[in-house]
Amino acid sequence: MRRLLMIRRLALLVSAVAIAPLFTVAQADAYPICLAGYQCSRTFYADSTNSQVVGGWVKFCDGTTDSWGTVTHYVSTSQVPCG
């Protein structure tokens, strides 16, 4: 009986570890992809009202990036053509 319980716990742990990357990938896909040839900016807000900016991220036309503040799930993205 005890052995069966240990096997069930091990199976549950293995299952949890196996599906964990699926949730990470889903979260990473939440932000729109920055198009090639565009400067991409993201503004992060404290909550869903988008009234208090708490962070930002920019991918410049030369490919370099800059960021500041806090990354949250409340985000707006804008893209401007380079050149």
Side-chain angles (χ1 to χ4, degrees):
M1 181 74 161
R2 188 173 183 156
R3 182 181 166 109
L4 182 61
L5 182 59
M6 190 170 17
I7 290 172
R8 284 183 182 173
R9 285 183 182 170
L10 181 60
L12 180 61
L13 177 64
V14 169
S15 298
V17 169
I19 65 169
L22 298 176
F23 294 104
T24 304
V25 170
Q27 225 175 25
D29 292 340
Y31 301 129
I33 295 173
C34 296
L35 301 173
Y38 282 75
Q39 177 173 307
C40 182
S41 301
R42 294 188 178 124
T43 304
F44 299 97
Y45 301 93
D47 56 35
S48 62
T49 63
N50 288 4
S51 58
Q52 181 183 0
V53 175
V54 295
W57 176 89
V58 179
K59 177 184 169 203
F60 297 100
C61 291
D62 65 2
T64 60
T65 61
D66 192 17
S67 63
W68 63 273
T70 304
V71 174
T72 69
H73 293 288
Y74 308 104
V75 61
S76 65
T77 300
S78 63
Q79 299 189 49
V80 179
C82 296

